[in-house]
Amino acid sequence: MDRIDTSVAHPARRYNYWLGGKDNFAADRASADAIAAAWPSAPIAARENRRFLGRAVRFLAGEAGIRQFLDIGTGLPTAGNTHEVAQAIDPSARVVYVDNDPMVMVHARALLTSAPEGRTAYLEADLRDPGRILAHPDLRATLDFTRPIGLMLVAVLHFIHGEGAGAPIVRELLAALPEGSYLVASNATKDFLPPQISQVYDRMLAAGQTDIWPRTEAEFGALFDGLTLVDPGVVAVHEWRPDTAPDPALTPADVSVYGAVGRL
């Protein structure tokens, strides 16, 4: 725990705060509140993104028959974690979680208990170094890279700053996966925001007051080049295969996060 700096906001703890969790500190709450002041629907986006993850995992484990998952940027444990959703469908499902926050790893090892038939592993590593993730012995000991894997990059790519900066990372990860694997990804966007809110957000980003890099539909969609997109393609996350009819009061601007699933 010595490496946990509570004076600096961390995305996983800020996300935990927006989801109503208690595993966050004053710096995380201040950062979350500042972002929400400029983008009032940020907590809504966090909740809808989490629901998207659950639906995507249910699709992969159910309809697509995926039994292995690599979840990078997992965040702090909360209800409906990837292995819980997958193992509810098949208890033998295996999941490797990756995050760069030591607090996440402490909580994960304490709280994320696999079904006896399955297996989970936890790697402290950074998405910016995909080679280190792919070479980790615990990853190879848990997942069989001769069989399809569900790669989960949910609400993590927008911490990779720069237009086009996410694509090389995604390509390197996908290149290690066998045919029949899937990519599940989501990323914040400004495409649906009114100009005045978009301009405020731009100023915050330039000033270092937010670390979330929004991507356009074209840039996000390019992450799936070479993959077969699962219907309905690239959409706001609340519109991706909703369990019930979408709330008519909830608009893409309220969510402002793109999501998609593609097959390798």
Side-chain angles (χ1 to χ4, degrees):
M1 295 286 283
D2 292 341
R3 293 178 295 113
I4 297 173
D5 186 350
T6 63
S7 68
V8 177
H10 190 279
R13 301 193 298 262
R14 184 175 59 218
Y15 191 56
N16 175 265
Y17 172 63
W18 279 333
L19 290 174
K22 297 180 173 61
D23 296 311
N24 48 74
F25 300 101
D28 308 307
R29 295 188 288 273
S31 172
D33 290 342
I35 293 173
W39 179 25
S41 62
I44 296 174
R47 291 193 293 271
E48 291 303 324
N49 184 76
R50 188 71 183 181
R51 291 173 180 146
F52 163 71
L53 180 146
R55 295 194 303 274
V57 173
R58 285 199 297 275
F59 164 77
L60 260 61
E63 189 173 330
I66 297 296
R67 295 295 177 263
Q68 306 184 104
F69 298 82
L70 174 55
D71 187 339
I72 303 177
T74 178
L76 285 154
T78 186
N81 299 291
T82 296
H83 77 282
E84 293 171 324
V85 178
Q87 290 179 353
I89 294 171
D90 186 336
S92 70
R94 294 184 167 210
V95 179
V96 173
Y97 290 107
V98 181
D99 205 282
N100 66 353
D101 183 358
M103 183 172 169
V104 169
M105 292 298 98
V106 169
H107 280 69
R109 292 187 176 99
L111 298 176
L112 299 183
T113 304
S114 172
E117 302 92 331
R119 187 171 176 184
T120 55
Y122 319 97
L123 314 181
E124 188 179 329
D126 197 302
L127 176 61
R128 295 172 181 83
D129 189 359
R132 180 168 178 264
I133 294 172
L134 292 169
H136 199 291
D138 289 350
L139 174 64
R140 300 289 173 163
T142 307
L143 304 184
D144 178 357
F145 275 69
T146 67
R147 297 172 54 224
I149 293 170
L151 173 61
M152 314 293 296
L153 298 176
V154 176
V156 65
L157 286 165
H158 48 220
F159 300 115
I160 306 298
H161 287 204
E163 185 172 353
I169 294 172
V170 174
R171 283 197 296 268
E172 184 172 348
L173 290 166
L174 289 175
L177 304 185
E179 185 178 355
S181 294
Y182 283 80
L183 169 64
V184 176
S186 64
N187 199 111
T189 184
K190 296 190 306 170
D191 284 1
F192 306 115
L193 297 180
Q196 63 272 24
I197 294 180
S198 180
Q199 290 164 9
V200 170
Y201 194 85
D202 286 343
R203 290 195 292 270
M204 291 181 66
L205 189 62
Q209 295 171 314
T210 176
D211 52 5
I212 297 175
W213 183 273
R215 289 188 161 84
T216 64
E217 181 179 7
E219 185 186 3
F220 178 72
L223 299 172
F224 292 83
D225 284 353
L227 279 66
T228 301
L229 281 172
V230 174
D231 286 340
V234 174
V235 292
V237 288
H238 72 296
E239 296 177 336
W240 196 90
R241 300 194 171 204
D243 295 324
T244 58
D247 181 352
L250 191 63
T251 69
D254 293 327
V255 177
S256 290
V257 177
Y258 280 126
V261 177
R263 186 179 188 273
L264 187 61

